[in-house]
Each structure stands twice: as C-alpha cells, then as structure tokens.
C-alpha cells in the first residue's frame, strides 16, 4: 500500500467522530494517543544505526529515516503550518526531501533516490521529531475543532508507516550477507502445538454488507458500505503453515506451470523464485528463515509469510487436489466472515521487538486479524458509489486501483488499533516483502 | 485476449448442444458454417503479400501467416489427428511452429520470434489450409459424436483469430512511414449525423443474473451463470466520440495527473502518449487517423477507438466535471443492460474490407454489440464457482486472470455471430491495438 | 562495419584514379564493372522470397530488401539526381525509407524498424533497381569527369552491402527452427586435408609502412599511410580451425574466467555463450553448423568463423599454454605481413551460392585474404594525421572510432576485388554474425 | 580504473627495489610511509557520518566504508595472514564482504550491492583499520624479505583507493538535493589570473621510449618499456578551461552530431547530457558547480573536469575550427612530452580538504601531473610484449583491455607520490565521475 493519504481527500472519506472542543478528557486522551503512537515509531528504530536508517534496499522500500521524517513532515505541515499561527518550519529543505506528495507531480526519479540522502542524519531527524512532537502537544488543546480530525488521520498515517518501517528494515538487513539481527533471537524453543489439518468454517452467504460504516476512522477506499451477494462458501480455520508450504515445494509446486497464473509463471521463471522470500536453504538441504532477529531454522508450525499473490494462488491450485475447489477467498467473503471478530485481537504490533508470525491452534476461525495479511482473490477496485472527492487536488487512494490485489486482516507488524474488517490493504501480485500469507476458501 | 482455447479445458466449460449423428441437415449446416468461417479468414488476407503476412510488429501481435496456420493446426490436430484414423500431418514441422500450446511449457522466446519465420511462405500456408479444409469437410459426416463439439470450438477459435488478424495487420501497416492502405478508402464522404449529447439509460438494479447460461457455445471463463446485486445505475446511450475525445485532449487531459490511475500516469509519461493510437497530427494541427484504408482525416462523429483502459478511465474522470460521478461501467452493469439487445445486431464483421467503427445515432442504448469493444471497470477475475477443469493439462482461460480488465460487446472487427452478452474479452490496461472504446456509466 | 560512405567525406579520402573523359575503353570497362557488380547483388537475392527479403532478424542487421534499395538509392541520388539534369525520382518516398544518412540526424528508432517495411515489395524494389541501372548505364558516357569517382565509390559501397546482405540473410534464416537452406548443400563430402599444426611465419620487424598509399580506391579511415615500428613477431600460417576450437571448448574454455577480458566474461555469462554462433549440439553431443545451405555436421578442418573478439582473445589466452605468448596480431603486424600477398587471391565471393570458409593447407602464410575476417588486437582508432574532411557535413568513418576492433583480410563473403591489405573492417568485440575468425600471433 | 591488483600478478610486473633486511633506516622509512598513507585515508573520511560512508551512489562507485575496509583487508590478508605466523582474522566475515577478488569468480551481483552493508559500522571499520595498522607496524621489522615488496604494492593500492574514495564521495553527495558540503568552502575569492590563449608546445618526434623502466614501483600494464615512432606533434600548454568549455556549450556543441563519435552521440541523447557532470544551471542561466565544499559559482579559469572521453573528443572536433587538426593526444605523445616533468609536481593530493582543480598559467607545458586526468585518444590495450603472468590465478590489469581509453597524469585527487609518466589510468568513454579533463594536441 502506497502512502497516499492527503488531506484534501480525507474529509470526503469516511467519518471521524468529532471531538467536542469542551471535552478535556478527550483532548487529554488524544494527546496520550499521539504520544504513544509517536513513541512507538521511535522505539521501532531504537536499534538502528545512522547507516541502517539511511539505505534504501529497493525501489519499493523507503529508508527508516525517510519514514521517521515523512511522518513528522505530515504533522508539521497539516497541523503546525496550517493551524498554528506563526509556526516556522524546522528546516526549509525537509519539505522537499520528505514530502511524498510532490513526487507524483514532479520528478519521478525522486522515490528510488530516497536512499541517497545521507544528510540530515538519523539524530537530526530524531531532533526534528522531538521538536515537532513538543509543538504538537502544545498545540492540540488550542486547535480549531476542524483540525482535530487531522490528528486522527495523522495517527493512522503514522501507524501505516510503522508497519512499512519494519518490513523495509527487514528487507534491508536481508541484503547483508552477514544476516545481522536487529533484536536478539526470540525464544522459539517451546514445543510447538501440533498443527491440525484444516477445518472449514462456513461463512454467511446471501446478502451482507461490507465496507466502512462511517463510525470511527477509515480511509476513503473502504467506503461506501454496500450490500454484496455471496454464494455459500467456507474459509479455512487458519492460514497455511510453513510446513504445508514445504510440501507444496517438495511436490514441485514452483516448477509446474499449470498451477500458476500466466503472469505469475513469467515472474517465477524470470526471478528464479523457488521459495518464499527470506527462506534460505542450507548445505544440508534444511531451510532457514531470515527475520528481524537474524537467521533461524524454519518453524513448520508458523504461518507462511512473505509470499506473493502469485504464490498464494498457485498454492490454492495445488491444494485443490486435496481440497476440491480450493481457492483464495474474495474480499467480501473474508470481510463478512470477520464481522464478528474483534479487530484488535490476535498477534499484532504492541511494542518494538523481533516481530514474526506465530502458530495458531485453529479449529475455529483463528488469526483473522494480525499475524499475516491474507491475500484475497479480489482486485483492488472501487466500491459501488466510490468517488474521488470533487475538487480534490492530486492524490487519493483510488489512483492505485489497477493491477493490485486486496489483502485483509493485518499482520504481526500492524500496530494494534489500526486493523478493522473493512481495511483494504493492496499490493501488486508479485510483491511479497510484507508479512503476507494465505488462507484458503472453497465453495460449499 | 490471448488465444488460449485448449481442448481439455473446453468440455468442462460451457455447454455446446450435441449434434445428433442422425441429423443430416445439421451436419450439412455445420459444413456450410465451417466453409464460410474458413473462407472469411482467407478473404481477410487476400490483399496481403508474403511479406505483409510474415512480419510481426510487436510482441503482442502475431503475423497474419501465423494466424492462418495456427487456426489450421487446430483443425488438423484436434479433428484430423485425433479423430480421423490414418491421417498424416501435412508437414511435421508445422506443429512446432504454429502451436501456441507448447510455448507455455517450453521456450518463452518463441512468441516474440514468430515474425522470424519467413518460410513456409504465405502460399504454402494457404496450401496447408486448403488441404486441411478438404480433409475436414470429408471427415465431418463420419466424425464420432463426441468430436462434433470440437467443430464448434474450432469455429469460435477461428473467429477470435479473425479479429486479431485484422488488428495485428493494422498495427503492422501503421509502422510503415508510407502508411499503405490494404483496402481502398471507404466512402466516408456522406454527411455525418449530428451527434447529440449523451442520454443516460437506466439499467436494471437489484439482483440479476450474468454469465453464460449453458445454451450455445461459450468459453469456460463466461460461467457459471450467477446472481449479482447492482445499485441503481445508468449507461450512456452511446460510446464516446472522436469529437468528444478531442475536447478531452484540448482541455489538457493527457497532461493532468489527477485524472489518471497511478500506473496510467506512469505509462502516459514513459510512452509519451498524447492521443489515441493511430492518431497523427499534421503540420496544420489537424488530426488524421490511420486505418486499414490508409490515412484519413479524423471523423469526429465516429466512436473513439484504440484507447487503453488507462485512457478510458482518465476520460471518465475528466468527464465527471460535466456528468457528476461519471465512471466506467462494471461488467455486470454492462451485461444486464445488454440482456435484451440482439448480440448479432450492430456494426460487426461480415466480410473483408476497410473495417472501422461508424457513428451511431444514440437516444436509446445503441451500439452495444459491434463497433468498439467497451472497457469496463471490472478486473478480469473468475466468476463465483469458476473452476479450472480437474485434471486438465496445461492451459485455460483462468490463467490470465491477473492484471487485466474486461471489455464487452465486440467491435467492427468481431465476426458477426461471435458476440454475446456474456462474452468476456480482456486486455492489460495499457493495451490498445484492438478496436477498444468507452461508454460512460454513472450512479443514479 | 556500418555503412557510412557519404559523398562529402570521400573526395578528401583516398585517391581514385581519374578517368579521362576521352578514354572510351575505360568508360566501357566501367559500365561492365557496374553491370557485373549490380548483377551480383541481384543474384545473391535470387532465391529469396518477398518475406525473406523483408524481415529484420536483429538491430545490427538489415533486411535484404533494404540492402537492395539502399544501394540503389545511392546511385539514384549521387549520380542521377546530382548529375543527370531532369532526372525525377523513381518514387518520392524511397529516399526516406532507404536513406541511412537521414537516420543519424533524425529519428534514432528508424534503424531497428527497418523490418517493418513490407511495402514496397521485393519485386517493386527489383523494378527500382532495374530502372536505376538502365538510367545509370545511359548516363555514364555523358557524366562530368568530376562525377566518375562517385561510380567507384558506389561500386565499393555496393560490395560492402553484398557481404552484409549474405551475413544478414544467414542470421535471419538461423532464427527459423526449421533451419531452411537458401542454396542446396555444397559438396563437403571430399576427404579433408589433414590440418597440420601451426607453423609460425616471421613477419618484418622494425620500421614499415601501413595504410592506403593513395593508388586505387580506399576509404578515408585507411589513410594516411604512415610508418610503424614493430618488434619481432610471427603469425600463424593459418587461422584456427573448428577442430582446434572444439579442443578449447572441451577444455572448458568458455567456463574459465582467467582466459577472458572482463567485458567478455560478462558477455559470455549474460548471453550464455558456449560455442561459436550457428553451432548447434545434437542429442548425441555432436555438433552441427548452420549455413546458407542449412544445417551440416561440423567440419573440423574448416577455419572457425562467427566468433567474437572476446572469443578470439580468450582462445589466444588458452592457446598460450601450448604456444607461449600466443596473442592476437596487431593490425600493423597483419598488414605488413600481407604486403606481398595478392589481395584478390584466396577464397572470396565470386558468385552467389552457399558461401562458407574452406580448409587451407597452411605451411606458409595462407588464407590471408578471403575465407574469414581475422580479428586483430587493435582498437579501431584513427591513423596519425587522419582528419575528417573540413567542412564535411555529417558522417565519416571516424565517427565509429570508439569501442570497436579492427578485422583484416576479408572473408568468403567479401566480393573479390574489394579486399586490400589496408582495408580496415571493424566491429564491436561482442559481434560475430560476420564470417570472423582468428589467426594467432606471438613475439619472437 | 578498477581495483585489480592481485598479488600473484604483481611480481611478474614491474620491478620493486628490494629492501635489504639489514637496513634499519629503510625499514623505519617504510613504517613511516605506511603510517602516513594509512593516516591520509582516515583523514579523507574524517568528516563522514556512518551513513555517508555506507551508501553507494551508483554501480561504478563504492561506499567509503568499503574502501576503508577493502584496503585494510589487503594488508590483513597478504601481510598478516600470509606472513605473520599465528595471526587470526579480525573478523571472519570481513574477507567475504570486502574482498573484490572473490567477486569476479563468484556472484556478479555483489558489486552493485556494496551499499547494502550497513553493518559493520564506520566505527567498527575504523577499529578494524587500527587493529591491522598496529599489527602491521609490529610485523614489518620481522617480515621476510620476500614480503617487503607487498608493502609497496599495498601502499600503491591504498593510494588508488584514496582517489576513488574522494570521487565516489563527491558523487554521492551530489545526489542529495540539499548539496551538502563535506569541507567548508575553499577560498576561491582571489582574482584569477587571466587565462591566455593556448600555446602549442612541440613534443619529441621520431623514435622514443615509453612504458615503465622497471625502476621503482609500477603496475604490470605499464610495461614493457618499448620504442614508439611519433610524427611531429604539439601539445597545448594547458588543459581546456571551464570558460572555453562554456563557449563550446554556447556554440551548441552538445547538440551537433558532427562533433561526436557515434557512440558518444547516442550517449548524449539517451542520457540528455548538456554539460559536464556536476554543473547546474541556475534560474538566471548562470552555472554553479558542485564540489566537496558544496555548490559554488563556476570558475571560468579552472580546468574543466568531470568530462567523458566522448565530450573531450567532441570538444577537440569543435576546437578544430580554431586550431586546425585539433585532436586528443595519443598516450605516447603525452608520455614522451612528460618525460622531463617531475611527476610529483603540480596540484596533487597532500591532505584532506575540498579538493578541486586550480587554474594554471600556461605558457610552457603546465599541469601535466595533477589537477585533472587528461583523456588520450589511445585505447587501453596491452603494450608490445605484455603478457599476463604465466600461472597467475585470476585477475590482472590486462583483463580490462577492451573498450576503455587511457588517461594520463593524475589529478588533484591523486595522492602525491602516486603519479608517474608511465601510469596508465583507464575508464570507459562515457565515465566522468573522476577529475577528468582534456589537453588538446595537433600535428605540426
């Protein structure tokens, strides 16, 4: 998902509850939430060196320093600059360096060149953050009511970047042949629950509603809420595990054209893909997996992650030999199935550390939120009635609505509080540096 | 749309009425239809030289000779080889050269190298056709009943290639700076009907059915027929005209990022796109259009064609200033609206000649079939319950179901008899060498 | 070698003997030579179909039709248009299509698009040739004396294209999986002379002269003639054979980095080069070679051809294990060694047919002219005192003087009469679709 | 120039005077030189942050940290590991990360990925250097005599990397839109000497010797020393200035195909080259130049630098309107002209700081050493008798001998003591991130 949340598009989007100006408690809560969210971003980067935070490992990723500064630029511009009289920019050049907005309009080479910015340093960017944080906290109590929803937007924007920050850092560290660990190895030593075979959980068919209902924050692309008509279906109680994925590999899954979408088959062959991202085969044939805590032996009970839509789809095709008609769920099937699951449940990001998916026991619909984003078979396209804000200058989520697929549910790197059933994450079918996995579905 | 109709996938697809072996009239009719379809293919190439029929103008296109031979290879393989005892191949090497099937399995360089095959010559390929045609006509009366549906499949396959043949030839001739005409200029001299402004035609909302109903021939991806739930909507009575497109261009449509999908904006800038394909601006600023009859002045009353999904979508965005909420129709909206329109009506391919779209009068839903394929906003994805045939070796339509959009209705180059409301044509959003246009839709 | 012979550069180049206007015999001889050269070009294409003559197999190559028309355009422009009052162009569009001159100035995409020109047809181009030939023969007796050197230039230009025509056709036919033959297989059945091991022939060291001496025709880059200072050296009596090359291959030559120039090693690995161009290994491990007469078993006695400079250089490195200090000859070493060899001797192009190198017996310096072009270790750079003609508009041979290496001596596809010791052919070090081979040298 | 100095190739190269083991003064001098050279490397990086030292700005460049570590790896491997019994590697992983040697054999993707190595940090690399330096200084007095030449090789290797370090850093900082300065702006305020027009200095024609004579250190490619035969020529007394280059630009030099080598013209158009590297045109049309001290106004009196061979050659072509026959000097012309110039004279690198070329007064042959590397028109090819060491494993300078041109003399970034007349620097004709300039030559 691109960072693409620009102020003009937002007010037309999904509702944000108005914060009454006379409610001191709400204001205080907002300040606390601001502090907490901003602090987590800093915590996530606490173990990064100046160099770690500067290098860009691929065009799709951004340096940690850029995430730190860009989110800060958002607060500085849309709160301090626009709503605090007399505020002067911390540094005049930062808006150019850390503003994703101008990129679309201007020089297309900017994005892949983000890793060239060795100065300002990580410490200077931290100073920038601290400066802006102080000023925001001072400003909140006196902000005009109309500006308060921007705080909500800024917090959600920051949370999105927290997840990207983790996945971008992981991608960078994976380029280093020494496989450095950011955090000490998490204890994976406990005996793993035996993973039982898939149980199929029937979902609600017929007419249901999906999409954001306007209560609480949502991005514009999540609405309007609308009815969908579903045929009888079931979802797997859990996502596919590393162990099951190994069977797919050992059965030659990556080498059989018939399982693959045509574009996926091209991708597999051109990129010589033979396993999920971050898997490395040792000289003895065993598999290790690179994570934020370095290289560890593959845990077969964990959900498979870092797979592309192409891989998820090929797996479903392969699995249909066992489960007739196995396929990816549609976005609507997933969303109606998740309607009664608490979005802040599950394995989500609470604090900095060696984030990784965990095994789930299954049996009932488990792991819907958190753990791994779940690829759906739904193209990321507008909902009926979706309309870019009239008169909006520039960008909106709708501009990304070609060629991408929807993922649902959130991952172990999604900050708790950021998930909801209507959330529409989206990536191109070949991308896989997010914690992306797959839950099977089938007609019944 | 790729040519991708392989025998194994077909019987699981959409029903084909069985031809009773004891019905002489039906057999005779089938032979007549075979003759007529095969003859049209030859007619379409009648004015081509050996060189015209050999060169491949881009990777997406195939040489005319390849189309001529590949369709013949289909008949030779799946009827003569499989169902006529003792048949020996016309030429042992042709299966390798003209068989799209093996490509997916084998050497991926084959497709872009189709234009390297200067031998066999066009005349030799015509001989190949004549030989196979004679043998097929002899064989039909004695074919086993199970083989007769293959005739139906072969005819539809051939018709698909007739359209590609025309659009591929057009693309090739457009590369020649001398702008050669294949057919003499059609009489475009008659006064054109004034094109009236768009009238909006309300379509059927609520629950409707789309997809192939199993009566008559259909490709596997058209089914299963299923219910869809539609919100109130209207379609424009006609597709966008060249004159309207000129207004879009003159209003700077190709230069404003806000109208474009993000991938579309990249495409416009990288490819320096400033008009539909085949438009050329003269020194006086006027526009000419290249066609199968050479270069002619732009006819503002004609439907715009040879536009990409990106352009169609940008146009809708631009047009929403005039028609609030203007957008592309979904596939389902288009199909339910077309339910009562005769699929063999409209401007479709009846005989060889300088094929081009024609102006339609509008006022009621006009030009739904024929004239130009109409981009929808629907990604080409499987219908609920769609399933590749179990045990099918190789290819099926489903393999193309990522990254492409659906077009509906057929064009002036679609052979009459080939269209139906459930037909799902599909191309990548940047492709535009087909006769592709756009009909606006909106919520009501 | 690019076709790059533009009139303005030529008169400053190397001398052409003036044809006295009152010498009827010389004029008659000139007409005869014109006829003979022009006829050979047509003969070389006699077995080509319209399609054969139209397709372009790679960017480096041109279609046969282009060669036929481009050489004719030269005569039409620089003789008929410039020196025959009242001449009107055969077809106004041809100058644009077949004029390599405007390309450099204008659209850089033109060259790779030469294969898109299906019309005019091969027959029309033949008519164009016939028309121009008639008019040239009529015109020669009355041409102004100043124009006569242009005839000489035109003949040499045509001869260059004769060689390119053959190598470009060969490259095209090699793309066809059916390996079609243009000419019937030549008789290779005779027992081959045993190839003896290399004999080293000492060349003249000290100060010698190289470069064109101004007598007879030469291209500008061949001069000025100048002194060079050579250390004692020897050349191999013959070029490397296919049999010797097989030993290099079997000894792992293509897989050992130490033998290769750094750029060459990149090329070998990126292009997956494992043998000379046109070699194909059969299922039994034996080698066939594709030629103008189709596929034939490798003749180990023949000179190796279709190798790149990179391969030639790697071979010399490998061979230095046997012949200490083995290396490529310099251009000067080759040229002074060839000083007393008749340039019209050897296996050169006399008539159309299945051109291929032939085994030479060796023992003395053999095969210097004809058979295969011999890579030298000399970069193609200007001779001391070389200077592009002052005031010359546009192009001259000097513009190609970066990154290319010199080849000497001519090949079996070089028209007899076109070779001379000072001739400087040049190609990039990876190119190998010419009949290019290698003769070793060493210090003594 | 690639870093390509491997031990096995060196002893066969150019002579190094043996250091007698019993000469304490020489040993002490060697230690002093070692200390001084190693200290300069550290000084050059003193102002770099961890991020500055880690990022790789393009494939041709390496991160500063890599230079620091790679040069240290050289000392650790070829002195400590090979000649100090019991030495254990500082860190086992460093050899893999910082060893250019294995790259050629192994994974070709390693070089462009050097910028991904965020760990070890700059400080850890400095520790590595300090550790190795201490051990080397301890070891030198007891080293076997055979090892002492390796010290000489290591010092020269280190000096090469000092220059690359500066030019790579400059390139990196130039990517930052904020144009950060590494050192404070040098005082360029003094009134500049008026630059007089070129004076032509005749060089020694006839037979001369060039190449390394075996006294003192030299790289293998500099020998053998050999005779060359030169025609009368003259060199310009000084290199071309920025002011003269501006005239070339203002006269349309970058837009006229006739001045350019064919490959150069392609490069100019594809890369949209319109000025030397690091020149930036302000909104007022004036030119600034980026340097190690940030952005400064163009100094017209300074030598032009950061030009490619293509640009140098085009300039000479353009200048021939004024100076008939102006061209680039050959390597031999340059070297014989420099025979009596002290190689340690001129503007060379003595200490860390904002290195930049300076204006020279001219009148006599000035600026031959230091200031800017001078492109020659000579391809980088082996000297007569050059031979890679028999039995040498792997790499040697000769492997780069295709496609590159020789530069002579050294630059303001070349450490004083590293230059000599026989030094052969080489780069591809499009490369220009070194301090490369041009001195004209002509025949007389």
């Amino acid at each position: 998902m691109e960072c693409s949340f620009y102020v003009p598009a937002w007010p037309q989007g999904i509702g944000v509850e108005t914060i009454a100006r006379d409610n001191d408690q709400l204001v205080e809560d907002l300040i606390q939430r601001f502090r907490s969210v901003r602090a987590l971003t800093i915590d996530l980067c606490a173990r990064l060196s100046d160099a770690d935070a500067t290098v860009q490992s691929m065009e799709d990723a951004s340096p940690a320093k850029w995430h730190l500064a860009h989110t800060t630029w958002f607060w500085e511009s849309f709160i301090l600059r626009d709503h605090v009289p007399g505020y002067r920019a911390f540094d005049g050049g930062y808006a150019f360096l850390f503003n994703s907005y101008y990129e679309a309009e201007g020089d297309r080479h900017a994005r892949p060149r983000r890793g060239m910015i060795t100065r300002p340093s990580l410490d200077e960017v931290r100073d920038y953050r601290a400066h802006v944080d102080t000023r925001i906290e001072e400003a909140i109590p006196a902000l005009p009511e109309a500006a308060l929803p921007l705080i909500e937007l800024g917090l959600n924007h920051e949370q999105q970047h927290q997840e990207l920050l983790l996945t971008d850092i992981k991608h960078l560290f994976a380029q280093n042949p020494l496989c450095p660990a950011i955090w000490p190895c998490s204890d994976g030593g406990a005996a793993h629950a035996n993973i039982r075979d898939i149980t199929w959980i029937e979902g609600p068919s017929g007419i249901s509603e999906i999409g954001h209902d306007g209560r609480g924050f949502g991005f514009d692309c999540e609405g309007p809420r609308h009815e969908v008509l579903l045929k009888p279906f079931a979802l797997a109680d859990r996502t596919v595990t590393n162990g099951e994925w190994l069977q797919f590999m050992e059965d030659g899954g990556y080498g059989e054209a018939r399982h693959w979408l045509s574009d996926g088959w091209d991708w597999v062959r051109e990129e010589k893909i033979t396993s999920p991202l971050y898997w490395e085969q040792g000289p003895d044939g065993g598999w290790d997996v690179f994570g934020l805590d370095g290289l560890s032996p593959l845990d077969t009970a964990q959900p498979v992650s870092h797979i592309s839509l192409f891989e998820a789809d090929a797996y479903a095709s392969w699995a249909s030999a066992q489960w007739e008609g196995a396929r990816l769920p549609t976005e609507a099937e997933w969303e109606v199935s998740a309607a009664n699951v608490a979005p802040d449940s599950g394995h989500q990001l609470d604090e900095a550390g060696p984030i990784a998916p965990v095994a789930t026991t299954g049996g009932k619909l488990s792991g819907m939120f958190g753990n791994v984003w779940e690829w759906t078979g739904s193209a990321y396209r507008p909902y009926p009635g979706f309309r870019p804000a009239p008169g909006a200058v520039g960008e909106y989520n709708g501009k990304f609505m070609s060629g991408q697929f929807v993922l649902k549910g959130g991952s172990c790197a999604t900050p708790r509080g950021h998930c909801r059933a209507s959330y529409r994450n989206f990536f191109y079918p070949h991308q896989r540096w997010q914690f992306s996995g797959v839950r099977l579905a089938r007609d019944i």
Side-chain angles (χ1 to χ4, degrees), chain A:
Chain A
M1 186 184 234
E2 286 287 319
C3 161
S4 60
F5 308 103
Y6 301 105
V7 175
W10 171 75
Q12 280 80 18
I14 303 302
V16 170
E17 281 146 291
T18 307
I19 294 166
R21 274 263 40 86
D22 53 1
N23 189 329
D24 285 354
Q25 185 55 46
L26 282 182
V27 166
E28 183 53 31
D29 288 353
L30 195 60
I31 291 178
Q32 283 308 328
R33 238 179 100 223
F34 174 79
R35 247 178 226 162
S36 151
V37 169
R38 293 285 285 170
L40 179 55
T41 312
I42 283 293
D43 285 354
L44 295 175
C45 298
R47 289 161 174 268
L48 300 186
S49 70
D50 185 25
D52 293 338
T54 299
V55 173
Q56 182 177 27
S57 61
M58 62 169 171
E59 192 169 331
D60 286 338
S62 296
K65 207 167 65 183
W66 190 91
H67 288 298
L68 289 169
H70 168 71
T71 47
T72 304
W73 161 85
F74 181 98
W75 296 107
E76 186 181 44
S77 301
F78 299 115
I79 304 295
L80 300 180
R81 182 197 65 193
D82 291 354
H83 295 288
V84 176
Y87 178 79
R88 294 180 54 187
F90 178 79
D91 184 304
Y94 285 14
F96 180 78
L97 289 181
F98 302 122
N99 176 357
S100 62
Y101 178 77
Y102 291 134
E103 274 183 31
E105 297 285 313
D107 183 353
R108 294 297 296 177
H109 295 300
R111 188 188 167 113
R113 306 300 282 169
R114 283 182 184 162
M116 296 294 113
I117 309 305
T118 61
R119 300 179 181 201
S121 70
L122 175 56
D123 282 342
E124 286 169 314
V125 167
R126 285 191 180 116
D127 290 345
Y128 175 42
R129 287 184 69 90
H131 172 86
V132 167
D133 285 357
T134 305
R135 300 299 308 272
I136 291 278
E137 293 189 22
E138 291 166 5
I140 285 181
L143 279 183
E145 220 162 286
L148 290 181
L150 293 169
I151 305 282
E152 192 63 40
L153 179 61
L155 292 172
N156 277 276
H157 178 240
E158 183 108 12
Q159 286 178 315
Q160 268 194 319
H161 280 279
Q162 288 168 346
E163 178 152 13
L164 293 171
L165 213 159
L166 284 168
T167 52
D168 289 356
I169 289 171
K170 182 172 178 178
H171 190 266
L172 169 62
F173 275 65
Q175 311 308 308
N176 191 327
L178 304 185
C179 295
I182 303 173
W183 283 281
C185 186
S186 57
D187 177 19
H192 293 297
N194 268 348
I195 299 296
R196 284 174 304 186
D197 217 343
I198 286 175
T199 300
W200 294 94
I201 313 292
E202 183 172 355
S205 57
I207 291 184
S208 304
E209 283 199 342
I210 65 166
H212 195 275
D213 62 7
R215 284 176 296 181
F217 178 80
F219 291 116
D220 58 354
C221 63
E222 295 174 48
R225 190 161 178 84
H226 62 286
E227 292 185 328
V228 291
L229 178 60
L230 299 178
K231 307 191 96 171
F233 72 95
L235 296 188
D237 58 338
R238 56 165 177 77
T239 59
V240 172
T241 63
N242 286 332
E244 289 166 327
W245 201 268
L246 259 183
Q247 291 173 36
F248 168 65
M249 288 165 59
E250 288 164 0
D251 197 36
Y254 280 96
E256 282 203 51
R258 69 188 163 106
H259 293 317
W260 296 81
L261 288 162
S262 178
D263 289 349
W265 186 239
D266 289 348
W267 172 76
V268 157
R269 294 205 289 182
E270 278 161 27
E271 305 292 325
K272 299 186 175 56
I273 305 293
T274 57
S275 72
L277 187 61
Y278 302 135
W279 288 35
E280 292 186 20
Q281 194 162 28
D284 62 348
W287 289 93
D288 289 323
V289 177
F290 180 77
L292 293 161
D293 53 356
L295 213 55
S296 316
L298 182 76
D299 179 342
T300 56
Q302 274 183 11
V304 70
S305 66
H306 297 297
I307 57 168
S308 67
L309 177 282
F310 291 138
E311 289 167 286
D313 189 81
Y315 181 87
S317 165
W318 172 81
S320 66
Q322 178 178 8
W323 308 107
E324 195 190 332
R327 56 172 174 80
L328 302 186
T330 65
E331 176 174 19
E333 288 168 346
W334 192 98
E335 189 168 335
V336 299
S337 297
N340 295 318
V341 184
D344 56 359
S345 65
H347 184 51
Q348 303 182 29
L349 179 69
D350 293 306
E351 59 183 4
I355 317 304
V358 295
T360 56
T361 50
K364 61 183 177 54
L365 211 53
S366 67
M368 291 291 279
F369 291 100
N371 233 4
V372 292
W373 286 99
E374 303 181 15
W375 281 109
T376 73
S378 298
Y380 177 55
R381 291 291 300 154
Y383 281 159
F386 171 77
R387 202 176 295 179
V393 176
E395 322 284 343
Y396 54 97
N397 271 303
K399 68 180 279 199
F400 298 108
M401 289 175 174
S402 70
Q404 310 207 39
F405 282 78
V406 173
L407 302 102
K408 301 293 279 188
S411 81
C412 54
T414 313
R416 196 175 307 277
H418 190 67
C419 293
R420 57 195 163 268
S422 63
Y423 204 99
R424 311 183 76 192
N425 200 355
F426 51 89
F427 282 94
Y428 287 99
H430 69 280
Q431 292 177 317
R432 57 182 195 159
W433 89 108
Q434 300 303 304
F435 288 95
S436 49
V438 57
R439 178 189 303 271
L440 295 179
R442 58 192 305 224
D443 303 320
I444 54 177

